[in-house]
Amino acid sequence: MEPFPAGRPWPEREAAPRVRTRLGVFGAVRIELDHEAGALDVRGDGLPPVEIRRAPHTVPESHVPIGTRDPEHLTLLVDGAEETLRPSKGFLTRRSYRVEVVSGARECRYLLVPDSLGTSRLLRDERLLGVFASSGDGRVSADWEAAGESERARDPYDASVGYGLAAAFGTGAEPMWQLTLNAALDLWP
């Protein structure tokens, strides 16, 4: 799988939603992404369902799978409970493409932050849970960290949040020098 880095437009999408099923540590994970409608659903046996919705009448951005990074136009539900979703704007640094979730239900903070051209790390309260890769069309893979004896192990809730964020916002970003060069070239007449 070749992930598509942040900061570049995504390939053309089909009008119909894409449904992907992946077998992983948490069993089969079904991801349905509809870029045009601004809808993402993540489901799986034993996984709490995740829904991310873009507000109606929001013009979709081609470089974001869910269509926007504006938190005012996005809603996140995990297992039916609304959670606070804060995607950063994304501009000149990899970290500027991070996505934060503040979970009232779990009393914790999740962060999906790019760490290479094609992958992003998922952290819960600053603890690494796994590394995700997403192609931007609903395909997501995850490499999970082994749980330490004294640390709270990753669980299905973590998996749902991780798969949802990776599918909705993509993973990875170009290095700062490349993003800066691209921004400068965009200004060149």
Side-chain angles (χ1 to χ4, degrees):
M1 168 177 47
E2 293 182 31
F4 204 81
R8 295 176 53 201
W10 290 93
E12 290 296 317
R13 292 178 174 78
E14 297 175 10
R18 292 204 172 238
V19 178
R20 302 284 185 206
T21 302
R22 178 150 183 90
L23 189 59
V25 171
F26 294 95
V29 178
R30 184 175 183 268
I31 299 170
E32 184 174 347
L33 173 65
D34 187 337
H35 175 75
E36 293 304 315
L40 172 80
D41 291 296
V42 177
R43 305 255 189 266
D45 293 336
L47 291 181
V50 167
E51 299 175 24
I52 299 178
R53 299 287 183 259
R54 186 180 70 231
H57 311 296
T58 303
V59 178
E61 300 170 17
S62 64
H63 62 280
V64 181
I66 195 68
T68 187
R69 296 185 69 86
D70 184 344
E72 297 297 318
H73 294 119
L74 292 167
T75 303
L76 168 66
L77 298 174
V78 182
D79 206 15
E82 188 168 347
E83 301 286 19
T84 303
L85 179 61
R86 295 184 193 142
S88 295
K89 293 186 182 197
F91 186 56
L92 289 180
T93 64
R94 282 187 176 152
R95 190 153 176 84
S96 73
Y97 286 91
R98 72 188 177 280
V99 181
E100 180 183 20
V101 171
V102 178
S103 174
R106 297 285 299 266
E107 297 181 354
C108 67
R109 178 177 163 255
Y110 290 95
L111 192 64
L112 184 72
V113 61
D115 66 344
S116 73
L117 185 62
T119 62
S120 292
R121 294 174 289 137
L122 177 67
L123 299 104
R124 180 186 61 221
D125 293 333
E126 299 182 17
R127 181 181 164 273
L128 179 63
L129 297 174
V131 177
F132 285 75
S134 177
S135 61
D137 64 355
R139 286 181 236 189
V140 177
S141 64
D143 291 325
W144 295 98
E145 289 290 302
E149 289 183 30
S150 65
E151 299 174 19
R152 193 171 92 193
R154 69 218 182 318
D155 61 25
Y157 196 97
D158 300 329
S160 291
V161 170
Y163 281 109
L165 296 179
F169 298 99
T171 59
E174 293 176 330
M176 184 176 168
W177 68 267
Q178 184 67 47
L179 292 168
T180 304
L181 178 62
N182 290 345
L185 290 175
D186 285 344
L187 296 174
W188 197 271

